[in-house]
Amino acid sequence: THLAATAKWDRFLAITGFVLVGLIMLIMLVAGAFMSSFIPGMGGGMATGIFMIYALIIGAIWFFPALFTYRFASNMRRALAGNDQQALITAFQNLKITFRYIGIITIILVSIYALAFVFAGISAAFISR
């Protein structure tokens, strides 16, 4: 029963993740187009391009955890409904991939923050002189 409840909640979170990725990409594209109307000349097209690239990168980064979460939920439901051992193994493989992916993203973000703090400290040391 715990695995069935987990699969239901995971499916909900995966679908919510897909919707949020779509909204993030849409908002970024609209923001890029909005900015291009206020920036005259070549800068407007460049701002739109930057926002489009940023939207695609953010969308791609967060699409995959939602996809693997959805695959976990679908395979878990199939495994529980049909007592399917292979679907259970596939479900847990997708869950492992999800956790590994989010762990790597977390390590990257913590590293970026740590570097930002180091550079901020170095900058503050030079400014205070």
Side-chain angles (χ1 to χ4, degrees):
T1 58
H2 292 298
L3 289 175
T6 301
K8 286 180 186 177
W9 279 107
D10 238 11
R11 184 179 171 140
F12 168 74
L13 291 173
I15 292 170
T16 304
F18 288 135
V19 170
L20 289 176
V21 165
L23 284 174
I24 287 170
M25 293 179 71
L26 181 66
I27 288 169
M28 294 300 289
L29 293 175
V30 169
F34 185 72
M35 283 185 64
S36 70
S37 66
F38 287 108
I39 301 173
M42 293 298 290
M46 193 164 115
T48 303
I50 290 171
F51 270 84
M52 291 175 89
I53 291 170
Y54 185 70
L56 290 174
I57 290 170
I58 296 297
I61 287 172
W62 291 112
F63 171 78
F64 290 107
L67 175 66
F68 291 120
T69 300
Y70 185 79
R71 287 180 181 173
F72 165 76
S74 298
N75 284 304
M76 183 57 70
R77 290 176 74 172
R78 187 176 328 120
L80 294 174
N83 200 16
D84 185 354
Q85 185 70 27
Q86 186 58 41
L88 183 68
I89 291 168
T90 304
F92 281 121
Q93 286 173 339
N94 281 291
L95 187 62
K96 181 183 82 171
I97 291 169
T98 302
F99 288 143
R100 182 186 303 155
Y101 188 90
I102 291 174
I104 291 169
I105 295 293
T106 302
I107 290 168
I108 291 169
L109 289 175
V110 168
S111 300
I112 290 170
Y113 288 138
L115 285 173
F117 283 127
V118 167
F119 286 125
I122 292 170
S123 299
F126 283 117
I127 291 173
S128 65
R129 288 184 180 200

